[in-house]
Structure formats: structure tokens, C-alpha cells
Amino acid sequence: MAKFMLLVNHDGGVFEEPMDTWQPGDIAAHFDYYALLTKELTESGELVQFMALDDPRQARTVRADGVAPPVVTDGPFAESKEVLAGFNVFEVESEERALEIAARISAVPGPGGVPTQQPVEVRRVMADEHGEL
């Protein structure tokens, strides 16, 4: 079994309007879809971890040399579509299965139930010769 991280950015896919402007029913359908998918993948034993991240405006950047006190800033900020919105870690039999799951995440509904087609980056987690890092 291999682990894959699926990264979802704030890129709205085929929708440019931010989610906080959607109708309440569309927002609920979006999160209900994720809840059902999460339940299914947890029950199958494939979901290792899921994390949705807070508003990127709350992010901080830390730079340190190990000697002086670290420098903590609230920028610079990437374009909003380049900011990580959340990630999932799955342990699956193959890359093909990871890609299938990514496709289901990308199809999360947006306004009017139309799939967002939000891009999902799929990356294999590094492992040593024993399959762990």
C-alpha cells in the first residue's frame, strides 16, 4: 500500500465567485458531499487524514537561522488560487486509486449542483525501504 497526499487549493475550478457568495443550499450541498465522501473513504480504511485549513489571511511565515529570534510575518501572500485550502492523505493500493479519489474530490458540487472541477494535486508520500518515512 502507498500513501498519497491530495492537495486542494483555493482555486474555484469553473467558478470564480467565492463560496461565501453562494446560496446557503449550495454551500450545504458542497459540504454534505465532502461529508459523505469522507465517511465512505474512512469506512473503506483508505482515508488516513483530512484537514481543511483556516482562512489564508490567518497564515504566518516563519524564518529562522537557529541563532537569532525567528522572524514571523503575515506575508508575502501568494495569489488566492495558489493558497492551500486543505489536504487529504490516503493509503491506497495504487496511484490509479489515488487519482480516482482525486477525481471525486474535484467533482464536489458548486452553485446549482454543478461540479466545481477544482484542481487536486496528487503526490505520493516519500517512503523508505520499509514503506515508512
Side-chain angles (χ1 to χ4, degrees), residues 10-18 22 108-118:
H10 276 276
D11 183 321
V14 297
F15 296 99
E16 291 191 23
E17 58 275 352
W22 296 1
V108 63
V114 175
T116 63
Q117 300 178 46
Q118 187 173 24

Side-chain angles (χ1 to χ4, degrees), residues 17-97:
E17 58 275 352
M19 185 185 299
D20 61 0
T21 66
W22 296 1
Q23 294 297 313
D26 290 332
I27 295 171
H30 184 87
F31 285 111
D32 288 348
Y33 179 95
Y34 272 128
L36 289 172
L37 184 58
T38 298
K39 181 178 187 295
E40 174 189 329
L41 295 169
T42 298
E43 289 173 353
S44 73
E46 295 171 301
L47 179 62
V48 174
Q49 184 174 21
F50 164 77
M51 288 283 169
L53 301 174
D54 200 356
D55 188 313
R57 293 173 290 190
Q58 304 302 317
R60 301 294 176 259
T61 300
V62 177
R63 295 184 189 273
D65 64 7
V67 179
V71 176
V72 180
T73 61
D74 63 355
F77 294 111
E79 290 186 47
S80 65
K81 68 181 180 179
E82 296 168 345
V83 175
L84 188 63
F87 64 90
N88 306 277
V89 177
F90 294 95
E91 188 165 25
V92 293
E93 291 291 333
S94 65
E95 180 183 40
E96 291 74 25
R97 178 62 179 146

Side-chain angles (χ1 to χ4, degrees), residues 1-3 91 124-133:
M1 299 273 280
K3 288 184 182 171
E91 188 165 25
R124 188 175 181 139
V125 175
M126 287 179 73
D128 64 15
E129 66 274 8
H130 304 290
E132 297 184 21
L133 189 63

Side-chain angles (χ1 to χ4, degrees), residues 98-120:
L99 295 172
E100 289 172 8
I101 294 169
R104 293 185 63 197
I105 292 170
S106 179
V108 63
V114 175
T116 63
Q117 300 178 46
Q118 187 173 24
V120 177

